[in-house]
Amino acid sequence: DTEVTQTPKHLVMGMTNKKSLKCEQHMGHRAMYWYKQKAKKPPELMFVYSYEKLSINESVPSRFSPECPNSSLLNLHLHALQPEDSALYLCASSQAPAGYYNEQFFGPGTRLTVL
Amino acid sequence: RKEVEQDPGPFNVPEGATVAFNCTYSNSASQSFFWYRQDCRKEPKLLMSVYSSGNEDGRFTAQLNRASQYISLLIRDSKLSDSATYLCVVNAGSGNTGKLIFGQGTTLQVKP
């Protein structure tokens, strides 16, 4: 089962709201990722968690706060976002970041609109 | 120079045609190569990994030329359902951090 699930599918929030995006996988993968994708652009990496520890932060603003409660779950906490943060937020997982051909499997994404 | 470059297209082809996409990458230390497919407003889905010896999966053939830092994808007997954006993806050099670099994508439209 190569499935990564994400909730919610859609989210509309104001600039003063606090919300969270959730991601779950049950494939035993030990690496999980958050990406941001704008229309007609490729996904941009935001964060990498490896064995539940944050290993890469691509200079993401602090209004985005990732959390990995356990090896199956990944959250992205949102606070004081800007309208330009509106995008598709994708979660992905892979067996582990190390090793060759560590294919990443993506969830369906959360489409976020910031008003 | 972009780290991964693709011709954005669009490629408009009739059903049954053969179409080839090319991709170049700049980091000679990259070790893992993939083609992903992305339908409009959907997530990227792994189409195939690309191995040094080249590999085939049904109508799809991928090739890698490390010397030229070049990857290709060939689709034979195109179907309407092949219409999508194809993303060339390369890992970000040595260290196996899990970081992938995506090309801008090549759009394919297969017409009846």
Side-chain angles (χ1 to χ4, degrees), chain A:
Chain A
D1 180 15
T2 54
E3 189 178 63
V4 177
T5 58
Q6 289 187 244
T7 54
K9 283 189 167 51
H10 300 275
L11 178 63
V12 179
M13 60 186 290
M15 288 191 283
T16 57
N17 292 156
K18 284 186 182 181
K19 296 285 184 185
S20 297
L21 309 185
K22 295 186 185 303
C23 173
E24 191 165 5
Q25 57 87 14
H26 293 290
M27 296 178 277
H29 288 177
R30 302 311 301 271
M32 296 185 77
Y33 311 81
W34 280 115
Y35 288 86
K36 172 182 177 178
Q37 187 174 26
K38 300 283 260 184
K40 299 192 186 303
K41 297 285 186 185
E44 293 174 33
L45 182 66
M46 300 174 73
F47 303 103
V48 179
Y49 271 84
S50 173
Y51 298 94
E52 299 157 53
K53 289 189 174 15
L54 183 65
S55 59
I56 294 179
N57 175 340
E58 289 285 283
S59 303
V60 179
S62 59
R63 57 186 186 268
F64 296 91
S65 175
E67 179 197 18
C68 189
N70 60 55
S71 59
S72 301
L73 290 173
L74 188 65
N75 298 323
L76 186 64
H77 303 298
L78 314 173
H79 174 54
L81 294 194
Q82 305 296 310
E84 59 265 29
D85 296 322
S86 299
L88 180 67
Y89 287 84
L90 293 159
C91 174
S93 71
S94 65
Q95 282 192 322
Y100 298 120
Y101 290 98
N102 217 356
E103 291 92 348
Q104 293 183 20
F105 297 94
F106 285 82
T110 293
R111 196 160 295 279
L112 174 68
T113 302
V114 182
L115 300 177

Side-chain angles (χ1 to χ4, degrees), chain A residues 33 35 37 41-43 45 48 56 58 88 90 97-108 111, chain B residues 31-34 36 38 41-44 46 49-51 64 66 87 96-100 102-104:
Chain A
Y33 311 81
Y35 288 86
Q37 187 174 26
K41 297 285 186 185
L45 182 66
V48 179
I56 294 179
E58 289 285 283
L88 180 67
L90 293 159
Y100 298 120
Y101 290 98
N102 217 356
E103 291 92 348
Q104 293 183 20
F105 297 94
F106 285 82
R111 196 160 295 279
Chain B
Q31 297 157 336
S32 307
F33 311 91
F34 310 94
Y36 279 76
Q38 188 168 25
R41 299 180 70 81
K42 299 281 191 182
E43 75 273 24
L46 180 66
S49 302
V50 187
Y51 302 110
L64 168 64
R66 285 185 190 269
L87 296 161
N96 293 318
T97 61
K99 180 173 177 177
L100 298 180
F102 287 75
Q104 294 294 304

